[in-house]
Amino acid sequence: MGKRWLPLEANPEVMNQFMWGLGVPAEAGFCDVYGLDDEMLAMVPQPVLAVILLYPQDRKKESVASPSSTIESKGSYFDRFYKQTADMDPAQRAASLEEDEEMEKAHSVAVTAGDTEAKDGVIEHYVCFSCVDDEIFELDGGNSQPISHGPSSPDSLFQDAAEVIKDRIAQYPESLNFNVMALSKQ
């Protein structure tokens, strides 16, 4: 069994520290999404580049789409990692990521930055929503491929993700364990 990575707190400050520590330019940053109705969505800085959802862990879904990426990361950790692992299959990439010291260091710093104690055994799970080639995709490390949720655009990504998230929340009527953050260009 590989390394155990403690979960990161669902907190924009923690996520920003994590991604900026890996070389993502500070012109992009996470912020909280306080509600999924139009008024609350309008409060989030635009443009929204991605949406992160933390929700009760569920492994029922299996992916159907093919992986794709249009994000340019000029010299960042992600750019280097992508180039170093371009010829690897997903399992090899995961193993390489798990053993990567730069990722581990940035993660360790972010784990200690939150307001709550980091501990193993949480039941919540992160997924990310992003628009690629006019489709909204759900990126979930527990699935072998991204999950397509249909047509979208960079301008409608946030509203489209909100609709998918509303449906996800409806699947867990007894739970209050949800958090939504948007990655916006500052």
Side-chain angles (χ1 to χ4, degrees):
M1 187 158 153
K3 294 180 184 177
R4 296 293 300 162
W5 296 73
L6 291 174
L8 296 178
E9 183 176 304
N11 173 330
E13 291 176 17
V14 171
M15 294 299 187
N16 287 333
Q17 181 175 352
F18 183 47
M19 72 171 187
W20 294 337
L22 291 168
V24 174
E27 62 201 36
F30 283 100
C31 65
D32 280 316
V33 176
Y34 295 110
L36 298 172
D37 62 0
D38 290 340
E39 287 180 15
M40 292 288 113
L41 296 179
M43 294 175 62
V44 173
Q46 299 292 320
V48 171
L49 306 172
V51 180
I52 300 262
L53 169 65
L54 177 73
Y55 72 102
Q57 192 164 17
D58 180 6
R59 294 283 170 225
K60 294 186 288 189
K61 297 181 177 75
E62 201 43 53
S63 61
V64 294
S66 61
S68 177
S69 175
T70 61
I71 297 172
E72 185 178 331
S73 305
K74 298 175 183 174
S76 73
Y77 166 82
F78 298 104
D79 183 53
R80 290 188 306 278
F81 181 79
Y82 180 76
K83 287 175 182 171
Q84 291 169 354
T85 62
D87 295 331
M88 294 182 182
D89 66 32
Q92 292 169 320
R93 274 189 178 174
S96 180
L97 183 65
E98 184 177 47
E99 296 301 323
D100 189 280
E101 290 181 19
E102 187 177 357
M103 174 62 76
E104 184 174 11
K105 180 180 177 187
H107 183 269
S108 295
V109 169
V111 161
T112 62
D115 295 327
T116 56
E117 178 186 351
K119 59 184 177 184
D120 206 357
V122 297
I123 60 169
E124 290 80 28
H125 180 67
Y126 283 108
V127 295
C128 176
F129 298 93
S130 184
C131 182
V132 178
D133 296 332
D134 295 323
E135 258 185 278
I136 184 171
F137 287 98
E138 179 178 344
L139 308 174
D140 180 344
N143 288 325
S144 60
Q145 296 179 337
I147 301 167
S148 174
H149 288 285
S152 188
S153 71
D155 293 334
S156 68
L157 166 65
F158 193 34
Q159 290 76 19
D160 297 337
E163 292 304 314
V164 175
I165 292 168
K166 287 177 192 177
D167 290 343
R168 184 72 46 85
I169 290 171
Q171 295 174 13
Y172 300 89
E174 302 298 317
S175 181
L176 299 175
N177 296 340
F178 294 92
N179 181 280
V180 180
M181 291 179 282
L183 176 63
S184 299
K185 193 167 184 179
Q186 310 280 317

